[in-house]
Amino acid sequence: MERLQKIIANSGYCSRRKAEELINAGKVKVNGEIVTSLGSKASYSDTIIINGVTLKLEPKEYVLLYKPRGVVSSAHDDKGRKTVVDIIDSENRLYPVGRLDYDTSGVILLTNDGELTNLLIHPSHEVEKVYVAKIDAVVDPNLVKSLSNGVIIDGKKTGRAKVKIKKIDKKKKSSLIELTIYEGRNHQVKKMFEAIGYKVSKLKREKFAGLTLAGLTSGEYRHLNIKEVKTLYAVAKK
Ligand code: URA
């Protein structure tokens, strides 16, 4: 038995807070009875109906995908482009945890575990993300290192960041910079480089919450094991 709002959130239907609102508003039925008390418990074998829709209490699934460039990281795309969900063969409704841009490659997690998703994307949990950015220029190392002090993007200063210069190729006029951030603002990495006058020409996420691309090539995916899922919960709650 678990709290009703937790079961609803775990089903991926909505967040726990939204589930509490729905319960308070009398929109949730358990085995035919409307439940309005937030303390109520239910089990995964109960029939839970919200606004007339029966919840599908699916087994939890956790997939780590090496997202290729040219794929949208949402469950649906209005323009009909291929999505990360299209790549994965699953009977469950999986959702990406956070977003990568259409032209960004790298680690993305997909799951139907709404609770873990919320923990991982909550800004206060400061989950680590490691990116490698290619700049088609010979960068000024000091200027690039200044990113770790924060820069203003969209009117707000960015949080802590780590910068590592991986390569500066004077002949090819290109640079590779590793940037580690703990937030997930819209187009954050590209905007951070823009703020110091550089345009990112290629972007790859090499690490997310400790998960790497090891053993995968672009477009491939694998399921997480129990130990990895437990570690993710521990990382997200820290
Ligand atoms: N920052 C970006 O600019 N793009 C991404 O896809 C991820 C982080």
Side-chain angles (χ1 to χ4, degrees), residues 67 73 99-105 129 131 179 181 183-192 200 203-205:
K67 178 193 173 295
S73 68
R99 294 259 190 277
L100 286 179
D101 293 337
Y102 185 71
D103 59 355
T104 300
S105 64
K129 293 125 194 151
Y131 293 90
L179 184 63
I181 57 173
E183 303 165 292
R185 292 165 59 183
N186 226 354
H187 311 302
Q188 179 158 347
V189 174
K190 291 176 187 168
K191 285 179 178 170
M192 285 176 75
V200 172
L203 187 61
K204 181 176 176 188
R205 182 155 72 186

Side-chain angles (χ1 to χ4, degrees), residues 142-178:
N142 288 329
L143 190 54
V144 168
K145 281 183 189 152
S146 74
L147 286 176
S148 61
N149 302 324
V151 279
I152 308 283
I153 61 169
D154 300 325
K156 199 171 161 251
K157 198 171 177 191
T158 55
R160 71 193 164 104
K162 286 186 216 156
V163 183
K164 208 192 256 171
I165 296 172
K166 291 181 70 114
K167 197 170 168 184
I168 297 182
D169 190 326
K170 288 188 178 153
K171 261 198 201 140
K172 289 187 182 156
K173 291 201 174 64
S174 80
S175 309
L176 278 183
I177 320 290
E178 182 184 284

